[in-house]
């Protein structure tokens, strides 16, 4: 592999959700097409409100980072395969997700994120991390919707419902 190809990279944010897994699959397929490596990033930080009942001093950073790393490793193992021979580097980083992703994406060809929307009109909206990255990234950003796992509206009835005016 020459130095130009080795430097090409696509950064993807992964948090274990269905939408981030869809983003990971998209990033791996794109990397295979353009000859880039994928840098899969998961972030963690202490919650802003501590409702866990565990004082922050009692939380072991290594344990929390270990859970994050396990989530990332499982997603990478399940969502990549031999059909896409792409180097996937896993990174576990402490900090605000949007800020960490922006920093890691410096110099990358693309930053790929999942859309954490809820389907329908609300699903058309970006999550706060995606929105922040779209507005502040130094590289192009791709936001991937998880269309496989979206909730869809029930199909319209082809027959009138009982008791409706059309059924009488």
């Amino acid at each position: 592999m020459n130095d130009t190809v080795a430097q090409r990279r696509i950064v993807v944010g992964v948090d274990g959700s269905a939408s981030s897994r869809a983003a990971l699959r998209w990033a791996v397929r794109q990397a295979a097409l353009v000859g880039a490596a994928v840098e899969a990033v998961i972030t963690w930080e202490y919650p802003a409100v501590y409702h866990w009942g565990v004082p922050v001093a009692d939380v072991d950073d290594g344990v929390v980072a270990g859970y994050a790393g396990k989530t990332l490793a499982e997603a990478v193992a399940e969502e990549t395969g031999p059909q896409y021979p792409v180097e996937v580097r896993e990174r576990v980083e402490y900090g605000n997700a949007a800020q960490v992703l922006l920093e890691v994406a410096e110099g990358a060809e693309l930053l790929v994120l999942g859309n954490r929307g809820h389907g329908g009109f609300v699903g058309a909206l970006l999550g706060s991390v995606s929105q922040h990255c779209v507005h502040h990234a130094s590289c192009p950003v791709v936001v991937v919707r998880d269309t496989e796992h979206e909730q869809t509206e029930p199909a319209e009835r082809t027959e009138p419902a009982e008791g409706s005016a059309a059924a009488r």
Side-chain angles (χ1 to χ4, degrees), residues 102 111 113 126 129-137 139 141-143:
L102 290 173
L111 171 58
L113 304 167
L126 294 177
V129 171
S130 297
Q131 186 163 13
H132 188 83
C133 290
V134 164
H135 289 287
H136 299 287
C139 65
V141 177
V142 175
V143 179

Side-chain angles (χ1 to χ4, degrees), residues 58-104:
D58 294 341
V59 176
D60 182 346
D61 291 358
V63 171
V64 178
Y67 282 120
K70 181 179 178 193
T71 298
L72 178 60
E74 287 173 357
V76 168
E78 292 170 11
E79 303 300 338
T80 63
Q83 69 273 30
Y84 300 110
V86 170
E87 177 186 2
V88 179
R89 297 186 292 257
E90 299 173 20
R91 286 183 69 161
V92 178
E93 298 286 337
Y94 172 79
N96 173 273
Q99 193 58 45
V100 169
L101 289 166
L102 290 173
E103 290 170 7
V104 173

